[in-house]
Amino acid sequence: MMNCGYTIILDDMRLLKQENIPYEKMRNKTILVTGATGMLAAYVVHFCMYLNETEGYGIRVLALVRNKEKALEKFSKYENDSNFEFLVQDVCDEIRYDGRIDYIVHAAGNASPRYILDDPVGIIKANTIGTMNVMELARKNSGVRVVYTSTREVYGKMLDNVEAIEEDTFGCLDPMERRACYPESKRIAESILKSYYYQFGVESVVLRIAHSYGPGMIINNDGRVMADFISDVVNERNIVLKSTGDAVRAFCYITDAVSAMFLAMLNSPSGEAYNVANEREPKPIREVAQMLVRLFPERKLKVIFDIPEQMSLGYSKMGRTVLSTKKIEDLGWTPKVCLAEGMKKTVLSFAN
């Protein structure tokens, strides 16, 4: 985190702190974050350390990562902080920690279309074996609460016309479809969490997050629409659309997604699932691309159409899924960052 990127992340920490969330419950507690270098997970780490720095909360942060060198690129500032510790391992291996843990944010896993095509077994392992390992650790820590970052894709394809999908509305998934490794393993992960609650009383909450983006996202060779668009603008390339751009998406900026995670972790009954999406600005992806180009006129970029005969098998073909966010809004959440502001902050965060 340097210069412009650091300034934007610091501003986002201030935004999160202003939310009406009972952060004081984390004072002097220990939080384990799996997949800590991921976009959302890294912001959870940064914010806990920010509360330590600004409010003296004394939160102990355990960052579970597979590659310490890569992790230090994001967390070097905390390396010598007594309230920060790396757990260097694969989440698919047994997680050993002798100290007390109060909260676990389980965000390990990959959603990139590239990995869905190249490493579907790895995706399944992280979401199933990895989740079992997390829950086994939680079972050994009485009173721990687990937060799991799931996906809108667990709902599958709707068979009937549904105006907005609520948390108990489900369609169908084809387990033989090329992309099924991701939503099917996310579904079983949710079931694992609930089963540990029924059998062992382990508290958990699920966030089904749709199209989140922001500083820290992987933008090079990721394959998701927003990541590819941001990468083009950051690298001053024309945005090339591989479709007509008619598909409608609603994107949720990172601080809105992370505030939902903290709110659910600290203020939700156990065993609940919540949709997290910013459905206030649904737009065809060609308009998203055009908006990005307009936000940076000095780069003189264009939106170009180069439509192949066949769409990549790694992309979701479920179409537009409108999520109802009434349930988490009733908990006190509301999205705050508009699309233009969020995209501009994201691009600028990569400036250095």
Side-chain angles (χ1 to χ4, degrees):
M1 296 190 302
M2 296 174 62
N3 301 330
C4 184
Y6 177 74
T7 300
I8 288 169
I9 292 173
L10 186 60
D11 181 60
D12 282 347
M13 296 301 103
R14 296 190 186 104
L15 288 176
L16 282 169
K17 187 178 174 182
Q18 293 170 8
E19 295 286 344
N20 186 25
I21 296 172
Y23 296 124
E24 65 274 4
K25 289 183 178 181
M26 294 192 292
R27 189 181 292 275
N28 299 320
K29 303 295 186 181
T30 297
I31 181 170
L32 167 66
V33 183
T34 73
T37 58
M39 179 185 72
L40 296 175
Y43 256 47
V44 171
V45 171
H46 289 317
F47 186 64
C48 288
M49 298 304 291
Y50 177 77
L51 288 177
N52 288 347
E53 294 166 6
T54 61
E55 299 294 328
Y57 267 36
I59 302 168
R60 181 163 179 77
V61 178
L62 309 175
L64 192 151
V65 300
R66 287 192 296 179
N67 186 318
K68 186 175 179 179
E69 287 69 31
K70 176 183 175 182
L72 280 171
E73 294 176 9
K74 292 197 174 188
F75 304 131
S76 60
K77 179 181 179 183
Y78 316 131
E79 185 180 14
N80 298 316
D81 193 308
S82 61
N83 280 319
F84 182 86
E85 180 180 350
F86 283 120
L87 299 184
V88 183
Q89 67 160 93
D90 192 315
V91 75
C92 294
D93 298 328
E94 181 183 2
I95 305 172
R96 296 180 179 272
Y97 183 74
D98 294 331
R100 169 70 191 165
I101 297 175
D102 301 285
Y103 301 102
I104 300 175
V105 173
H106 179 28
N110 206 306
S112 167
R114 179 166 65 90
Y115 282 92
I116 286 169
L117 291 178
D118 295 345
D119 188 25
V121 173
I123 285 174
I124 292 170
K125 283 183 176 180
N127 287 334
T128 56
I129 297 172
T131 301
M132 289 289 290
N133 288 332
V134 166
M135 298 308 287
E136 276 297 300
L137 179 66
R139 184 167 69 91
K140 297 170 185 175
N141 282 263
S142 177
V144 72
R145 167 166 282 219
V146 180
V147 177
Y148 182 57
T149 56
S150 189
T151 172
R152 65 175 181 86
E153 291 190 43
V154 298
Y155 292 113
K157 184 177 182 179
M158 294 295 114
L159 300 178
D160 301 312
N161 291 327
V162 178
E163 183 175 340
I165 296 174
E166 298 182 350
E167 285 78 0
D168 58 357
T169 306
F170 284 89
C172 66
L173 282 170
D174 177 2
M176 303 298 286
E177 199 264 333
R178 182 68 182 270
R179 189 183 167 83
C181 63
Y182 179 63
E184 289 283 19
S185 59
K186 284 288 191 181
R187 275 187 168 187
I188 192 62
E190 291 191 17
S191 185
I192 289 169
L193 265 69
K194 202 63 182 279
S195 296
Y196 268 80
Y197 173 72
Y198 289 140
Q199 190 166 346
F200 303 113
V202 178
E203 293 196 358
S204 62
V205 62
V206 170
L207 284 301
R208 295 172 183 153
I209 302 171
H211 302 303
S212 60
Y213 71 101
M217 66 191 299
I218 295 173
I219 61 171
N220 294 321
N221 198 26
D222 179 77
R224 282 170 285 189
V225 166
M226 182 62 84
D228 290 349
F229 288 177
I230 296 291
S231 179
D232 287 336
V233 176
V234 167
N235 293 289
E236 300 192 12
R237 301 186 298 253
N238 291 328
I239 295 178
V240 179
L241 284 177
K242 297 294 184 179
S243 71
T244 59
D246 293 329
V248 176
R249 296 288 183 267
F251 295 96
C252 184
Y253 187 65
I254 185 170
T255 52
D256 288 330
V258 171
S259 69
M261 292 167 64
F262 277 112
L263 179 63
M265 182 175 82
L266 299 171
N267 217 31
S268 164
S270 182
E272 296 295 328
Y274 295 93
N275 292 333
V276 179
N278 188 344
E279 297 287 359
R280 299 184 176 189
E281 292 182 273
K283 291 184 181 297
I285 60 172
R286 67 174 178 276
E287 291 187 17
V288 175
Q290 291 161 351
M291 180 186 296
L292 257 174
V293 167
R294 290 195 300 269
L295 285 171
F296 298 93
E298 71 282 0
R299 305 191 185 196
K300 299 179 181 178
L301 303 179
K302 299 178 182 178
V303 177
I304 297 172
F305 293 85
D306 181 16
I307 304 173
E309 292 184 5
Q310 183 177 358
M311 185 193 304
S312 169
L313 295 173
Y315 291 102
S316 173
K317 300 173 180 64
M318 293 178 189
R320 166 74 166 142
T321 305
V322 179
L323 297 185
S324 168
T325 55
K326 181 180 184 302
K327 185 174 178 180
I328 196 162
E329 287 179 17
D330 287 346
L331 203 63
W333 179 82
T334 182
K336 303 283 180 31
V337 181
C338 71
L339 183 59
E341 179 187 359
M343 291 195 298
K344 188 163 188 175
K345 290 172 75 169
T346 302
V347 170
L348 292 177
S349 74
F350 290 97
N352 299 290

